[in-house]
Amino acid sequence: MNANHHETSGPSRTQQITLRGPAELADALPFMLGFHPTDSVVLVALHGERGRFGGRVRLGIPRSSGEWSSTADHLAECLVEGGARNGTRPDGIVVFLCQDPEAGETGRRVMERLRPFAQRLRTACGALDIPVYEALCISDGLYFSYCCPDARCCPPDGTPLALSGTSVMAATAAYAGVQVRGSLRDMEGRFKPSGGPDEERQRAALDATAAQIVPRILEDAEGREREEVRETTLRLAREVLRRFAAPERPSPKSPQSPPDAGRTAAGTAAGDAADDALVDTDEAAALILGLQDRVTRDRAAEWMEGWEGTAALRLWRVLARRCVTPYQEHAAAPLTLAGWTAWSIGDEPTARVALGLALDADPEYVFARLLHQACNEGLDPESLRSCLRTERDGRTASEQAATSASRRVRMRTARPQSTRQTLRKPGRQTRGGAGRPTAGVRPGGPAAAKPGSKTPRPGGQRGTRSGR
């Protein structure tokens, strides 16, 4: 199987709409996923007599046809087993194959080339007693049906897709606040290095920083150096995060939508370039290397809500784009943080893309695997947010207690050592009687009064060794 990792999701929570025929199915696909699934195979579950949409699973189309059979079995099993775990085994399935033509290739040629894959998907679903009601190929602005034999509605040369924003599905999605964030390729590009002359400077900064930080993390048996690197990284991350505090311009169609929803490609590129300018190469290198520490990464994951969540997602995008060759594997940490933050603030399409890329960078990255599975199974991120809040609050309380105890110790050690010598029993005369305390009353000041008190307290026959 190829390196991509499948994505699944639960039933849509958007307003109900009835779709009739292959044309409306093809038009609805980007709204179901939140993006145009370029170079992807998508399976959508149908439930009940009316064919209500349920879970869906997406995977990159394997480049080798030798992988098509195992991929088809895997996808069918994932979709059916996922529905069974939720108590809603599919009654039918719709298959989509989406791929742009290569140089010199037409949309129809793509359809014919992928026909064996479509047939294998149909037999894999049939083996699980789930019929495939429709199988569509979407390529070059056209859709083709592998199931409909009627050339009047599904001609062999394909049917043009509806113009963007003109269909009933598009109108309903706009009313419900559902946004399509562009193509999958565009979304992935926002997390990948763009190349150019700055890439060499970033590589040099990563090399220099790695030479300084990595030995301090790996060769520190007592852990003091590692803790110092951890605190330095988090302090720098907080400082940089404040630069991203200014909110991005929201979509005019839906002010409550995620920050990058509804923006044009040019606007998104300009916004990403502006974000890149907020972090210099040395800062990016220090943050990328510092986030390889698991504890540092987990504490950075606490920036997950409100302005911190929105700003953190932009920062993690920047750091993922700075993971240039040969540091691609280091991108797993910022990509996972981006996926977690996007999921936490309600941007599930971006979360799935970021987590999929994190697993491409490091297939064994445990945090990414767990988040990817939880997001795909439709779990509520609030459970993880609650755990992170508890960790943060507990750590804050411990730090405050330690600071308070340290302050009390400093107050005691800072008291004048001569105080003990000035205490005398009542009525006892001392050399140089001027300025001696009145009998029966202790001298005022820190030796006699409680911390913070401005009045003397009555004394007796007995002094105190501690000076309180």
Side-chain angles (χ1 to χ4, degrees), residues 431-466:
R431 186 180 304 173
R436 71 173 182 264
T438 304
V441 180
R442 298 190 183 196
K450 295 180 180 180
S453 172
K454 297 182 180 179
T455 59
R457 64 183 181 183
Q461 297 288 332
R462 181 166 53 91
T464 60
R465 293 186 178 182
S466 63

Short mmCIF file of all heavy atoms in Angstrom, two decimals, residues 431-466:
data_model
loop_
_atom_site.label_atom_id
_atom_site.label_comp_id
_atom_site.label_asym_id
_atom_site.label_seq_id
_atom_site.Cartn_x
_atom_site.Cartn_y
_atom_site.Cartn_z
N ARG A 431 24.57 47.67 78.47
CA ARG A 431 25.53 48.75 78.32
C ARG A 431 25.01 49.71 77.28
O ARG A 431 24.62 49.32 76.20
CB ARG A 431 26.88 48.19 77.91
CG ARG A 431 27.97 49.22 77.85
CD ARG A 431 29.27 48.59 77.44
NE ARG A 431 29.58 47.49 78.35
CZ ARG A 431 30.60 46.65 78.15
NH1 ARG A 431 31.35 46.75 77.06
NH2 ARG A 431 30.85 45.68 79.02
N GLY A 432 25.03 51.00 77.61
CA GLY A 432 24.48 51.98 76.68
C GLY A 432 22.98 51.89 76.71
O GLY A 432 22.36 51.46 75.74
N GLY A 433 22.34 52.30 77.81
CA GLY A 433 20.91 52.08 77.99
C GLY A 433 20.07 52.83 77.01
O GLY A 433 18.88 52.55 76.87
N ALA A 434 20.58 53.83 76.33
CA ALA A 434 19.76 54.57 75.38
C ALA A 434 19.29 53.64 74.29
O ALA A 434 20.08 52.93 73.70
CB ALA A 434 20.55 55.75 74.80
N GLY A 435 18.00 53.70 73.98
CA GLY A 435 17.44 52.93 72.88
C GLY A 435 17.07 51.52 73.26
O GLY A 435 16.65 50.75 72.43
N ARG A 436 17.23 51.13 74.62
CA ARG A 436 16.84 49.78 74.95
C ARG A 436 15.33 49.68 75.01
O ARG A 436 14.64 50.65 75.30
CB ARG A 436 17.48 49.35 76.27
CG ARG A 436 16.88 50.03 77.48
CD ARG A 436 17.47 49.41 78.74
NE ARG A 436 16.88 50.00 79.93
CZ ARG A 436 17.45 50.99 80.60
NH1 ARG A 436 18.61 51.50 80.19
NH2 ARG A 436 16.89 51.47 81.69
N PRO A 437 14.78 48.48 74.73
CA PRO A 437 13.33 48.33 74.68
C PRO A 437 12.71 48.48 76.05
O PRO A 437 13.32 48.23 77.07
CB PRO A 437 13.15 46.90 74.16
CG PRO A 437 14.40 46.18 74.52
CD PRO A 437 15.48 47.22 74.47
N THR A 438 11.45 48.88 76.05
CA THR A 438 10.69 49.00 77.29
C THR A 438 10.45 47.63 77.86
O THR A 438 10.21 46.67 77.13
CB THR A 438 9.34 49.68 77.01
OG1 THR A 438 9.58 50.93 76.39
CG2 THR A 438 8.56 49.89 78.31
N ALA A 439 10.51 47.52 79.17
CA ALA A 439 10.33 46.22 79.81
C ALA A 439 8.96 45.65 79.48
O ALA A 439 7.96 46.35 79.54
CB ALA A 439 10.47 46.37 81.34
N GLY A 440 8.93 44.36 79.20
CA GLY A 440 7.68 43.65 78.94
C GLY A 440 7.22 43.71 77.52
O GLY A 440 6.21 43.11 77.17
N VAL A 441 7.91 44.42 76.62
CA VAL A 441 7.49 44.52 75.22
C VAL A 441 8.67 44.20 74.32
O VAL A 441 9.75 44.74 74.52
CB VAL A 441 6.94 45.93 74.89
CG1 VAL A 441 6.53 46.02 73.44
CG2 VAL A 441 5.80 46.28 75.81
N ARG A 442 8.46 43.33 73.36
CA ARG A 442 9.54 43.01 72.43
C ARG A 442 9.72 44.12 71.43
O ARG A 442 8.78 44.84 71.09
CB ARG A 442 9.21 41.72 71.67
CG ARG A 442 9.08 40.52 72.60
CD ARG A 442 8.99 39.27 71.80
NE ARG A 442 8.79 38.13 72.66
CZ ARG A 442 8.97 36.88 72.29
NH1 ARG A 442 9.33 36.62 71.05
NH2 ARG A 442 8.78 35.88 73.13
N PRO A 443 10.91 44.24 70.86
CA PRO A 443 11.14 45.29 69.86
C PRO A 443 10.29 45.03 68.64
O PRO A 443 10.05 43.89 68.25
CB PRO A 443 12.63 45.16 69.54
CG PRO A 443 13.21 44.34 70.64
CD PRO A 443 12.11 43.47 71.15
N GLY A 444 9.83 46.10 68.04
CA GLY A 444 9.10 45.94 66.80
C GLY A 444 10.03 45.55 65.67
O GLY A 444 11.24 45.64 65.80
N GLY A 445 9.46 45.19 64.53
CA GLY A 445 10.26 44.82 63.38
C GLY A 445 10.09 43.35 63.05
O GLY A 445 9.32 42.64 63.68
N PRO A 446 10.85 42.89 62.12
CA PRO A 446 10.65 41.54 61.62
C PRO A 446 10.92 40.46 62.65
O PRO A 446 10.40 39.37 62.55
CB PRO A 446 11.64 41.44 60.45
CG PRO A 446 12.65 42.51 60.72
CD PRO A 446 11.92 43.59 61.41
N ALA A 447 11.75 40.76 63.64
CA ALA A 447 12.04 39.74 64.63
C ALA A 447 10.88 39.53 65.58
O ALA A 447 10.76 38.49 66.20
CB ALA A 447 13.30 40.11 65.41
N ALA A 448 10.03 40.54 65.72
CA ALA A 448 8.99 40.45 66.73
C ALA A 448 7.60 40.31 66.14
O ALA A 448 6.71 39.81 66.79
CB ALA A 448 9.03 41.69 67.61
N ALA A 449 7.41 40.80 64.99
CA ALA A 449 6.07 40.79 64.40
C ALA A 449 5.96 39.68 63.37
O ALA A 449 6.94 39.21 62.83
CB ALA A 449 5.78 42.15 63.76
N LYS A 450 4.70 39.28 63.04
CA LYS A 450 4.47 38.30 61.99
C LYS A 450 4.82 38.91 60.64
O LYS A 450 4.77 40.12 60.48
CB LYS A 450 2.99 37.89 62.00
CG LYS A 450 2.58 37.15 63.27
CD LYS A 450 1.09 36.78 63.19
CE LYS A 450 0.67 36.04 64.44
NZ LYS A 450 -0.77 35.68 64.40
N PRO A 451 5.14 38.07 59.63
CA PRO A 451 5.45 38.62 58.31
C PRO A 451 4.29 39.44 57.78
O PRO A 451 3.15 39.01 57.76
CB PRO A 451 5.65 37.35 57.45
CG PRO A 451 6.06 36.30 58.43
CD PRO A 451 5.32 36.62 59.69
N GLY A 452 4.61 40.67 57.44
CA GLY A 452 3.59 41.55 56.91
C GLY A 452 2.93 42.41 57.97
O GLY A 452 2.21 43.34 57.66
N SER A 453 3.17 42.13 59.27
CA SER A 453 2.54 42.91 60.33
C SER A 453 3.37 44.14 60.61
O SER A 453 4.58 44.12 60.58
CB SER A 453 2.41 42.05 61.60
OG SER A 453 1.97 42.85 62.67
N LYS A 454 2.70 45.27 60.96
CA LYS A 454 3.40 46.53 61.24
C LYS A 454 3.36 46.89 62.73
O LYS A 454 3.77 47.95 63.12
CB LYS A 454 2.78 47.66 60.43
CG LYS A 454 2.92 47.47 58.92
CD LYS A 454 2.33 48.64 58.18
CE LYS A 454 2.47 48.45 56.68
NZ LYS A 454 1.91 49.57 55.91
N THR A 455 2.80 46.01 63.54
CA THR A 455 2.68 46.33 64.96
C THR A 455 3.43 45.30 65.78
O THR A 455 3.48 44.11 65.42
CB THR A 455 1.20 46.32 65.39
OG1 THR A 455 0.66 45.03 65.12
CG2 THR A 455 0.41 47.36 64.60
N PRO A 456 4.03 45.74 66.92
CA PRO A 456 4.71 44.78 67.78
C PRO A 456 3.70 43.91 68.49
O PRO A 456 2.55 44.28 68.65
CB PRO A 456 5.51 45.66 68.73
CG PRO A 456 4.74 46.93 68.78
CD PRO A 456 4.14 47.11 67.41
N ARG A 457 4.15 42.74 68.92
CA ARG A 457 3.26 41.88 69.68
C ARG A 457 3.80 41.75 71.10
O ARG A 457 5.00 41.86 71.33
CB ARG A 457 3.17 40.51 69.02
CG ARG A 457 4.46 39.75 69.00
CD ARG A 457 4.28 38.45 68.26
NE ARG A 457 5.54 37.70 68.26
CZ ARG A 457 5.69 36.55 67.62
NH1 ARG A 457 4.69 36.05 66.93
NH2 ARG A 457 6.84 35.91 67.68
N PRO A 458 2.93 41.49 72.04
CA PRO A 458 3.38 41.38 73.44
C PRO A 458 4.36 40.25 73.61
O PRO A 458 4.20 39.19 72.98
CB PRO A 458 2.11 41.12 74.22
CG PRO A 458 0.98 41.31 73.28
CD PRO A 458 1.52 41.33 71.90
N GLY A 459 5.33 40.42 74.46
CA GLY A 459 6.31 39.39 74.72
C GLY A 459 6.23 38.92 76.15
O GLY A 459 5.67 39.59 77.01
N GLY A 460 6.84 37.85 76.44
CA GLY A 460 6.86 37.32 77.79
C GLY A 460 8.28 37.10 78.23
O GLY A 460 9.21 37.78 77.81
N GLN A 461 8.44 36.14 79.06
CA GLN A 461 9.76 35.84 79.60
C GLN A 461 10.61 35.07 78.61
O GLN A 461 11.79 34.92 78.80
CB GLN A 461 9.61 35.02 80.89
CG GLN A 461 8.89 35.76 82.02
CD GLN A 461 9.74 36.85 82.59
OE1 GLN A 461 10.96 36.77 82.57
NE2 GLN A 461 9.10 37.89 83.14
N ARG A 462 9.98 34.53 77.51
CA ARG A 462 10.70 33.58 76.69
C ARG A 462 10.93 34.15 75.28
O ARG A 462 10.04 34.72 74.68
CB ARG A 462 9.88 32.29 76.59
CG ARG A 462 10.53 31.20 75.79
CD ARG A 462 9.78 29.89 76.05
NE ARG A 462 8.37 30.05 75.83
CZ ARG A 462 7.77 29.82 74.63
NH1 ARG A 462 8.51 29.44 73.61
NH2 ARG A 462 6.47 29.97 74.50
N GLY A 463 12.13 33.99 74.77
CA GLY A 463 12.42 34.38 73.40
C GLY A 463 12.22 33.19 72.47
O GLY A 463 11.90 32.09 72.91
N THR A 464 12.44 33.40 71.20
CA THR A 464 12.29 32.33 70.20
C THR A 464 13.57 32.19 69.42
O THR A 464 14.18 33.18 69.03
CB THR A 464 11.13 32.61 69.24
OG1 THR A 464 11.39 33.83 68.57
CG2 THR A 464 9.81 32.67 69.96
N ARG A 465 13.94 30.94 69.16
CA ARG A 465 15.19 30.71 68.43
C ARG A 465 15.06 31.08 66.96
O ARG A 465 16.03 31.42 66.31
CB ARG A 465 15.58 29.26 68.55
CG ARG A 465 15.97 28.88 69.97
CD ARG A 465 16.49 27.46 70.04
NE ARG A 465 16.89 27.11 71.37
CZ ARG A 465 17.42 25.94 71.68
NH1 ARG A 465 17.60 25.02 70.73
NH2 ARG A 465 17.78 25.66 72.92
N SER A 466 13.87 30.93 66.46
CA SER A 466 13.72 31.21 65.02
C SER A 466 13.63 32.68 64.72
O SER A 466 13.65 33.07 63.56
CB SER A 466 12.44 30.51 64.48
OG SER A 466 11.32 31.05 65.14
#
